[in-house]
Amino acid sequence: MASTMGPNSTGNTTDTTTIDLRDPGDLLAATPHLLGFEPSDSVVLIGHRGEAGTHIGNIVRADLPLPGGETALAAQMVDPLAHASVAVTVVVVGGRRMTGTTGPPAGAVVAAVKDVFGRAGTPVQHALWVPAIRAGAPWKCYDDDCCAGHLPDPRSTVLAAVTTHAGLVTHSSRAAMQRQLDPVGSDVLARRAVMLNRRVTTGGLEEPAALSRGRAAIRGILTRAWEGTPTLSDTEVVESALGLTLPAVRDACLAMAVPVGSAHSITAERVWLLLTRHTPAPERAEPATLLAYSAYVRGEGALAGMALSAARAADPDHLLSRLLSQALDHGLPPETLAGLARSGDTGPIWTAPSESLGTGTRPSRDGDGDPGSGQARRPPTASPDAGE
């Protein structure tokens, strides 16, 4: 199985790196880099695409179910995979062996996936188990007692080097990825909520100046994010939050997501994450949806799902987040969703200085807090994380 590391088809044409993942140990070691985090007590389904099934397609992860829940879980994972894959590989990480059984743990999960996906016309090509994704961990196949080995160091693989070079972050756990979205202090959010309510009740959104104020606030934050990690004033958060409720501003911000890997898309995703953390509900749904869309079109399905969950929690009636959730649940390819970024009447709300000068310089990553995770697309199309 080959994983092609390169830009999304929504980006410019650049060189790609083809990584051979036919060895089961190499595939298992690559799993955290394909997902964006290290899975534990999980079932991961890796779709195979192409006529010969030699390329990685959609990936879905879920927590291992309680006994009796195997078939329901397998059925939940079909939609994002079956219509776009010619076969799947099942990866079980962790789990406990049931009393009286032999072989790797979670055999009932593998059996349920084989049954459900077989009836959907998408056979299981391989089924693998590993206790944890770490160097030297023993792995085994479910269907062949002689198929076994030990993992290489996941941090020393070719895929690890390629994803690191591309600026992609592989988190230590799903929880670590989720913590990126944690909101700032409740006192800060409460203060900003009061300001937002005051502006809305006094007709602030009906003023012709609301559009220009919102655009100016967002552009200012983007410019400072390009230069480093910006601090946000209450006024900036309020003006950007109100601005994003206006279709003209929102569409110009959606346009920032493409081309994938461009300087402005990288900077924008950092800002959408920052605003997601700093904006109170229900307005939080706006930047969270932009974050989800940006992550989606570059193949970061796990982060997209988390951002959409945050958006729906902030505003259950938010239309765009609901539509993106449906697309993610059904495994719609990122390149299909990228058309949304081009559908508006205006271009991106902001252009990076390096792009204006015609250079290829990219902003630096700040590590903790701001992931810089928009720098490139992960090899596969990462589909909804079914553990949510």
Side-chain angles (χ1 to χ4, degrees), residues 247-248 250-258 293 320 323-324 335-348:
R250 181 206 60 203
D251 291 349
C253 290
L254 283 172
M256 297 287 288
V258 295
Y293 180 70
L320 183 56
L323 293 175
L324 288 178
E335 51 267 30
T336 301
L337 263 291
L340 185 61
R342 304 189 185 96
S343 62
D345 295 330
T346 60

Side-chain angles (χ1 to χ4, degrees), residues 5 19 33 154-167:
M5 180 62 192
I19 302 167
H33 307 295
R155 298 167 298 180
S156 302
T157 60
V158 175
L159 183 56
V162 172
T163 53
T164 299
H165 178 72

Side-chain angles (χ1 to χ4, degrees), residues 192-201 238 241-242 279-280 283:
R192 292 169 178 171
V194 170
M195 295 175 65
L196 281 163
N197 290 337
R198 185 181 302 124
R199 283 288 304 278
V200 171
T201 56
V238 169
L242 294 175
T279 305
E283 289 83 5

Side-chain angles (χ1 to χ4, degrees), residues 85-341:
S85 305
V86 298
V88 296
T89 287
V90 183
V91 172
V92 173
V93 183
R96 295 182 178 181
R97 184 180 290 108
M98 300 296 291
T99 303
T101 63
T102 59
V109 174
V110 175
V113 171
K114 287 182 176 180
D115 177 57
V116 171
F117 277 74
R119 285 188 275 112
T122 309
V124 170
Q125 187 175 83
H126 216 27
L128 307 166
W129 170 82
V130 67
I133 308 293
R134 64 172 183 269
W139 61 265
K140 297 180 179 180
C141 295
Y142 280 88
D143 299 323
D144 184 354
D145 292 338
C146 296
C147 178
H150 291 82
L151 290 193
D153 187 346
R155 298 167 298 180
S156 302
T157 60
V158 175
L159 183 56
V162 172
T163 53
T164 299
H165 178 72
L168 295 167
V169 177
T170 299
H171 297 273
S172 60
S173 66
R174 184 177 182 277
M177 178 182 274
Q178 179 71 58
R179 282 195 293 271
Q180 296 178 100
L181 279 68
D182 285 352
V184 296
S186 58
D187 56 333
V188 176
L189 295 177
R191 184 174 69 241
R192 292 169 178 171
V194 170
M195 295 175 65
L196 281 163
N197 290 337
R198 185 181 302 124
R199 283 288 304 278
V200 171
T201 56
T202 57
L205 284 178
E206 298 176 3
E207 300 174 12
L211 178 64
S212 61
R213 284 199 302 262
R215 292 177 68 93
I218 294 169
R219 284 172 172 162
I221 299 170
L222 285 163
T223 298
R224 297 206 315 279
W226 167 262
E227 297 167 349
T229 302
T231 56
L232 300 180
S233 70
D234 290 349
T235 299
E236 283 180 316
V237 172
V238 169
E239 295 296 351
S240 63
L242 294 175
L244 288 175
T245 64
L246 304 173
V249 177
R250 181 206 60 203
D251 291 349
C253 290
L254 283 172
M256 297 287 288
V258 295
V260 171
S262 62
H264 66 253
S265 71
I266 297 165
T267 305
E269 187 166 320
R270 294 177 59 224
V271 168
W272 309 149
L273 173 59
L274 194 64
L275 287 173
T276 297
R277 298 182 61 241
H278 282 260
T279 305
E283 289 83 5
R284 185 185 195 223
E286 302 295 343
T289 301
L290 291 174
L291 172 62
Y293 180 70
S294 179
Y296 195 143
V297 297
R298 64 178 179 79
E300 190 82 76
L303 178 59
M306 292 173 186
L308 288 170
S309 292
R312 296 196 305 270
D315 182 0
D317 296 323
H318 193 265
L319 180 58
L320 183 56
S321 66
R322 288 164 53 193
L323 293 175
L324 288 178
S325 294
Q326 293 173 9
L328 195 61
D329 288 344
H330 289 86
L332 200 64
E335 51 267 30
T336 301
L337 263 291
L340 185 61

